[in-house]
Amino acid sequence: MAVRTLTINDKLVSSPEGATILQAARENGIDIPTLCQLDGLSTVGACRLCLVEVGPAGRLQAACVTQVAEEMVVRTETPKLREYRRMIIELLLTERNHVCSVCVANHHCELQDLAVKLGVDHVRFEYLHPHLPVDVSHELFGIDHNRCILCTRCVRICDEIEGVHTWDVSGRGTNARIISDLNQPWGDSPTCTSCGKCVQACPTGAVFRQGSTVAEMEKDRQRLRFLLTAREKREWLV
Amino acid sequence: MDLNELNGIAADQQASRKPCVIRCCTAAGCQSAGSAAVLKALQQAVAEAGKQDAVEVRSVGCLRLCCQGPLVQLDPDQRMFQKVRPEQASSLVAALDGGTTDAEPCDPAAPFFALQANVVLVNSGRIDPEQIEHYIAADGYQALAKALTEMTPQDVVEAVTRSGLRGRGGAGYPTGVKWSLVARSQGERKYVVCNADEGDPGAFMNRSVLESDPHSVLEGMAIAGYAVGASQGYIYIRGEYPLATQRLQTAIRQAGRLRLLGTHILNTAFDFRIDIRIGAGAFVCGEETALMASIMGERGTPRPRPPYPAESGLWGYPTLINNVETFANIPQIIRRGADWFASLGTPKSTGTKVFSLTGKVRNTGLVEVPLGTPLRVLVEDIGGGSPSGYIKAVQTGGPSGGCVPAHLLDTAVDYESLAAVGSIMGSGGLIVMDDENNMVDVARFFMGFCMDESCGKCIPCRAGTVQLHRLLTRILDRKATRRDLVLLEQLCGMVRETSLCGLGQTAPNPVLSTLRYFRHEYEALLRGERRHGGPHPDDQ
Ligand SMILES: Cc1cc2nc3c(=O)[nH]c(=O)nc-3n(C[C@H](O)[C@H](O)[C@H](O)COP(=O)(O)O)c2cc1C
Ligand code: SF4
Ligand code: SF4
Ligand code: SF4
Ligand code: FES
Ligand code: FES
């Protein structure tokens, strides 16, 4: 396989042709924040947290969807990137009702982790406080739209891994919503197999297992890895 | 159908032409002013006068001065009449023989008409858009015949490249370069797509072209298909354009019947079909990757590029996407030559551009001028200036564009000059503003548009436009502090640099350009002064 040599944060790294900047960075122990990306799922480049500066002009490119190229020069931590990433988190926190102290995902939430890591200690934008429903019609799971960041991981895992496509997105702009089937209660979904993959994939407390109380929802990402390895490599390793 | 038969149709059409023609505009602008009734009354009046053999009443496309519709023009003497009412029909027919009419005249020698060019709109207002014979008699489909019989696909690409034509959909990407990329792309199938989504507020250029001369777009697409090796084309048109859609359907049917579309076009081995896909009125579906998703039956949201459509477009095959007006230029480039086209406009922005002139200006309507024409000529001479006598700014490029202040009205309308003053050419919307317009309000209007039209996929645009809109509202409500203004500018930069597609990337432009030229209006609101428009301090 052809190899590409590039520079990430002044460090010379090599990476197989066709790999993304994100993969190359992770292989080399360089951490780039992500939210919409999840190993094994297709990439959508939607959250924009993984933006990095590329080339002498420092053009911003999403690391999860940009392929490495020979002699590419990448910077993953600059004052501008730090500032933009913080703003993205602030925009998410103000867009819906993220009240961590009463959330099932408290301490197990990727949004919260990123907010801490990026030093978001205050929010400069107005809280929008939308009125959003919680759907607990499913016998095992629930979806709380107040916590949803529209990363579409649930949509993709249900479609691409479970092969069911229960979830999709309706509406546009800030009115966009995750819906099950034809915008009906999740419990009425004729397609959902209750496999729980969306629960595992969700980075926040938006899709949860019922009966979880505050801070109880821990995600088992290993389970997803296991499924993917089994599917892609036909290896059933635990 | 071969070239001889094509020429035969043209000759028959010319031979059957009656000595007098009354042209009545039935494009959407005039129809909304009641031109369908005028057309009917004119036909009746001709019949009553027993002049059917000498006078043809023709339904034509846009005659350009849409604000004065319904418009009627008499041929041969070329007199024009505006705001025509059905009861004036018989006197108009009598006027053909020198009789008097009480219909309100409209001077075809006025600067509004005289300063315009006639390339894309050459047939607009002259031929009946629902009669393919009219188009053929005006040299229609000759370019396709020439391309298919005298040129190789590479020759066609080269001609388009040499013409210097740049995409009319907004970004001004060189059309020849795009065509050669698609031509060189490998794929067992390729597609040609015409972008007729035209969602900018105040823009109606593409609609007018489709309503007035649909065959020019079909011919341009067929030539493109031949050049890049595609045999299927799609026209993606917004659902709000029923008349344009209906005229396109008629045109496609007629062209198919004459074998100018379909299989073995003009007795050659070239096959090309065109189908229409109707959008549901989402601005973002004009973005090429969202448009393709919509054609494929998916949710119309953009995806990151690369891969570009030229490499991987519809169903993963190489796809050429161009704007309506880009395609409408092609037949003439092929027929009259690349050098002729390149001689129009400026060296870097060749040809002409169609604009829809609206806002605080006397003459609103459809305007075509050579690129490089000063903005001042467009708004003061062609547009006749503003009714209040004061022009404060001209907004170009719609929600992705900016406001050019009056002191820069001598800016030439070409891709580079407009970019240099912080605006863009865009697809051709021109909105004139006077001192009644508060520029912060203008910025908020466009931000509200982007906020409503954001697809919601990426966070900076989805949530950022909402916050920008809130900040602008706070400023307008005189509740903002200086920190809000700083935050506004920071957020503009962030949304511009981090959004996934052009919608978000350009959404801050109206704010940035009004901040650049009209910062004093923001400052006045911060100081708590009453919100009003007012002239630019330099103009007082
Ligand atoms: C939000 C958005 C809306 C757009 N809307 C249109 C449109 O209505 N018509 C159009 O031709 N191009 C539109 N474009 C540009 C297209 O993506 C594409 O560049 C264009 O159709 C290419 O054609 P051209 O090279 O002939 O200009 C839009 C782009 C964006 C980002
Ligand atoms: S539980 Fe499984 S099938 Fe049901 S929505 Fe979630 S991922 Fe899809
Ligand atoms: S429910 Fe969870 S996984 Fe689905 S889009 Fe919302 S945040 Fe993402
Ligand atoms: S920039 Fe706006 S319209 Fe474009 S993908 Fe992002 S949310 Fe959608
Ligand atoms: S992780 Fe790359 S855009 Fe979300
Ligand atoms: S629509 Fe009739 S003149 Fe433009």
PDB file of all heavy atoms in Angstrom, chain B residues 301-314:
ATOM      1  N   THR B 301     -29.309  17.639   1.696  1.00  0.00           N
ATOM      2  CA  THR B 301     -28.285  18.290   2.519  1.00  0.00           C
ATOM      3  C   THR B 301     -26.941  18.169   1.823  1.00  0.00           C
ATOM      4  O   THR B 301     -26.671  17.159   1.166  1.00  0.00           O
ATOM      5  CB  THR B 301     -28.175  17.661   3.919  1.00  0.00           C
ATOM      6  OG1 THR B 301     -27.983  16.257   3.764  1.00  0.00           O
ATOM      7  CG2 THR B 301     -29.410  17.914   4.741  1.00  0.00           C
ATOM      8  N   PRO B 302     -26.101  19.188   1.965  1.00  0.00           N
ATOM      9  CA  PRO B 302     -24.776  19.137   1.333  1.00  0.00           C
ATOM     10  C   PRO B 302     -23.894  18.086   1.992  1.00  0.00           C
ATOM     11  O   PRO B 302     -24.144  17.662   3.121  1.00  0.00           O
ATOM     12  CB  PRO B 302     -24.212  20.535   1.596  1.00  0.00           C
ATOM     13  CG  PRO B 302     -25.387  21.384   1.928  1.00  0.00           C
ATOM     14  CD  PRO B 302     -26.343  20.474   2.629  1.00  0.00           C
ATOM     15  N   ARG B 303     -22.881  17.685   1.264  1.00  0.00           N
ATOM     16  CA  ARG B 303     -21.875  16.790   1.835  1.00  0.00           C
ATOM     17  C   ARG B 303     -20.519  17.420   1.568  1.00  0.00           C
ATOM     18  O   ARG B 303     -20.402  18.269   0.683  1.00  0.00           O
ATOM     19  CB  ARG B 303     -21.965  15.405   1.189  1.00  0.00           C
ATOM     20  CG  ARG B 303     -21.729  15.419  -0.314  1.00  0.00           C
ATOM     21  CD  ARG B 303     -21.226  14.084  -0.821  1.00  0.00           C
ATOM     22  NE  ARG B 303     -21.180  14.001  -2.278  1.00  0.00           N
ATOM     23  CZ  ARG B 303     -20.199  14.474  -3.028  1.00  0.00           C
ATOM     24  NH1 ARG B 303     -19.195  15.117  -2.473  1.00  0.00           N
ATOM     25  NH2 ARG B 303     -20.221  14.335  -4.344  1.00  0.00           N
ATOM     26  N   PRO B 304     -19.495  17.020   2.326  1.00  0.00           N
ATOM     27  CA  PRO B 304     -18.185  17.626   2.093  1.00  0.00           C
ATOM     28  C   PRO B 304     -17.669  17.298   0.690  1.00  0.00           C
ATOM     29  O   PRO B 304     -17.944  16.233   0.152  1.00  0.00           O
ATOM     30  CB  PRO B 304     -17.289  16.960   3.155  1.00  0.00           C
ATOM     31  CG  PRO B 304     -18.214  16.368   4.161  1.00  0.00           C
ATOM     32  CD  PRO B 304     -19.476  16.046   3.439  1.00  0.00           C
ATOM     33  N   ARG B 305     -16.969  18.263   0.096  1.00  0.00           N
ATOM     34  CA  ARG B 305     -16.277  18.018  -1.160  1.00  0.00           C
ATOM     35  C   ARG B 305     -14.791  18.162  -0.877  1.00  0.00           C
ATOM     36  O   ARG B 305     -14.434  19.057  -0.101  1.00  0.00           O
ATOM     37  CB  ARG B 305     -16.681  19.053  -2.221  1.00  0.00           C
ATOM     38  CG  ARG B 305     -18.128  18.976  -2.623  1.00  0.00           C
ATOM     39  CD  ARG B 305     -18.503  20.149  -3.502  1.00  0.00           C
ATOM     40  NE  ARG B 305     -18.174  21.415  -2.841  1.00  0.00           N
ATOM     41  CZ  ARG B 305     -18.352  22.615  -3.412  1.00  0.00           C
ATOM     42  NH1 ARG B 305     -18.821  22.716  -4.618  1.00  0.00           N
ATOM     43  NH2 ARG B 305     -18.035  23.717  -2.760  1.00  0.00           N
ATOM     44  N   PRO B 306     -13.841  17.444  -1.489  1.00  0.00           N
ATOM     45  CA  PRO B 306     -14.056  16.392  -2.463  1.00  0.00           C
ATOM     46  C   PRO B 306     -14.747  15.171  -1.858  1.00  0.00           C
ATOM     47  O   PRO B 306     -14.754  15.070  -0.651  1.00  0.00           O
ATOM     48  CB  PRO B 306     -12.619  16.066  -2.896  1.00  0.00           C
ATOM     49  CG  PRO B 306     -11.736  16.471  -1.756  1.00  0.00           C
ATOM     50  CD  PRO B 306     -12.443  17.622  -1.115  1.00  0.00           C
ATOM     51  N   PRO B 307     -15.237  14.262  -2.699  1.00  0.00           N
ATOM     52  CA  PRO B 307     -15.167  14.277  -4.152  1.00  0.00           C
ATOM     53  C   PRO B 307     -16.112  15.308  -4.767  1.00  0.00           C
ATOM     54  O   PRO B 307     -17.235  15.465  -4.298  1.00  0.00           O
ATOM     55  CB  PRO B 307     -15.594  12.864  -4.552  1.00  0.00           C
ATOM     56  CG  PRO B 307     -16.474  12.411  -3.428  1.00  0.00           C
ATOM     57  CD  PRO B 307     -15.912  13.048  -2.201  1.00  0.00           C
ATOM     58  N   TYR B 308     -15.639  15.981  -5.782  1.00  0.00           N
ATOM     59  CA  TYR B 308     -16.460  16.927  -6.526  1.00  0.00           C
ATOM     60  C   TYR B 308     -17.373  16.168  -7.482  1.00  0.00           C
ATOM     61  O   TYR B 308     -17.062  15.046  -7.879  1.00  0.00           O
ATOM     62  CB  TYR B 308     -15.565  17.911  -7.277  1.00  0.00           C
ATOM     63  CG  TYR B 308     -14.930  18.899  -6.342  1.00  0.00           C
ATOM     64  CD1 TYR B 308     -13.712  18.619  -5.743  1.00  0.00           C
ATOM     65  CD2 TYR B 308     -15.578  20.085  -6.012  1.00  0.00           C
ATOM     66  CE1 TYR B 308     -13.136  19.509  -4.829  1.00  0.00           C
ATOM     67  CE2 TYR B 308     -15.023  20.961  -5.103  1.00  0.00           C
ATOM     68  CZ  TYR B 308     -13.797  20.677  -4.517  1.00  0.00           C
ATOM     69  OH  TYR B 308     -13.260  21.543  -3.609  1.00  0.00           O
ATOM     70  N   PRO B 309     -18.500  16.792  -7.856  1.00  0.00           N
ATOM     71  CA  PRO B 309     -19.431  16.112  -8.758  1.00  0.00           C
ATOM     72  C   PRO B 309     -18.752  15.642 -10.049  1.00  0.00           C
ATOM     73  O   PRO B 309     -19.118  14.607 -10.601  1.00  0.00           O
ATOM     74  CB  PRO B 309     -20.493  17.176  -9.064  1.00  0.00           C
ATOM     75  CG  PRO B 309     -20.436  18.124  -7.921  1.00  0.00           C
ATOM     76  CD  PRO B 309     -19.022  18.112  -7.415  1.00  0.00           C
ATOM     77  N   ALA B 310     -17.759  16.402 -10.515  1.00  0.00           N
ATOM     78  CA  ALA B 310     -17.087  16.024 -11.759  1.00  0.00           C
ATOM     79  C   ALA B 310     -16.471  14.635 -11.653  1.00  0.00           C
ATOM     80  O   ALA B 310     -16.336  13.917 -12.644  1.00  0.00           O
ATOM     81  CB  ALA B 310     -16.010  17.045 -12.102  1.00  0.00           C
ATOM     82  N   GLU B 311     -16.088  14.266 -10.417  1.00  0.00           N
ATOM     83  CA  GLU B 311     -15.496  12.944 -10.201  1.00  0.00           C
ATOM     84  C   GLU B 311     -16.576  11.942  -9.818  1.00  0.00           C
ATOM     85  O   GLU B 311     -16.669  10.863 -10.368  1.00  0.00           O
ATOM     86  CB  GLU B 311     -14.611  13.035  -8.964  1.00  0.00           C
ATOM     87  CG  GLU B 311     -13.141  13.043  -9.101  1.00  0.00           C
ATOM     88  CD  GLU B 311     -12.614  13.284  -7.686  1.00  0.00           C
ATOM     89  OE1 GLU B 311     -12.461  12.305  -6.945  1.00  0.00           O
ATOM     90  OE2 GLU B 311     -12.431  14.474  -7.331  1.00  0.00           O
ATOM     91  N   SER B 312     -17.365  12.325  -8.828  1.00  0.00           N
ATOM     92  CA  SER B 312     -18.364  11.415  -8.282  1.00  0.00           C
ATOM     93  C   SER B 312     -19.609  12.223  -7.934  1.00  0.00           C
ATOM     94  O   SER B 312     -19.650  12.929  -6.937  1.00  0.00           O
ATOM     95  CB  SER B 312     -17.789  10.743  -7.031  1.00  0.00           C
ATOM     96  OG  SER B 312     -18.809  10.023  -6.381  1.00  0.00           O
ATOM     97  N   GLY B 313     -20.584  12.131  -8.818  1.00  0.00           N
ATOM     98  CA  GLY B 313     -21.794  12.922  -8.624  1.00  0.00           C
ATOM     99  C   GLY B 313     -23.002  12.035  -8.449  1.00  0.00           C
ATOM    100  O   GLY B 313     -23.049  11.201  -7.539  1.00  0.00           O
ATOM    101  N   LEU B 314     -23.971  12.169  -9.355  1.00  0.00           N
ATOM    102  CA  LEU B 314     -25.196  11.381  -9.252  1.00  0.00           C
ATOM    103  C   LEU B 314     -24.872   9.889  -9.278  1.00  0.00           C
ATOM    104  O   LEU B 314     -24.188   9.414 -10.175  1.00  0.00           O
ATOM    105  CB  LEU B 314     -26.131  11.728 -10.413  1.00  0.00           C
ATOM    106  CG  LEU B 314     -26.845  13.077 -10.340  1.00  0.00           C
ATOM    107  CD1 LEU B 314     -27.618  13.342 -11.628  1.00  0.00           C
ATOM    108  CD2 LEU B 314     -27.788  13.131  -9.135  1.00  0.00           C
TER     109      LEU B 314
END
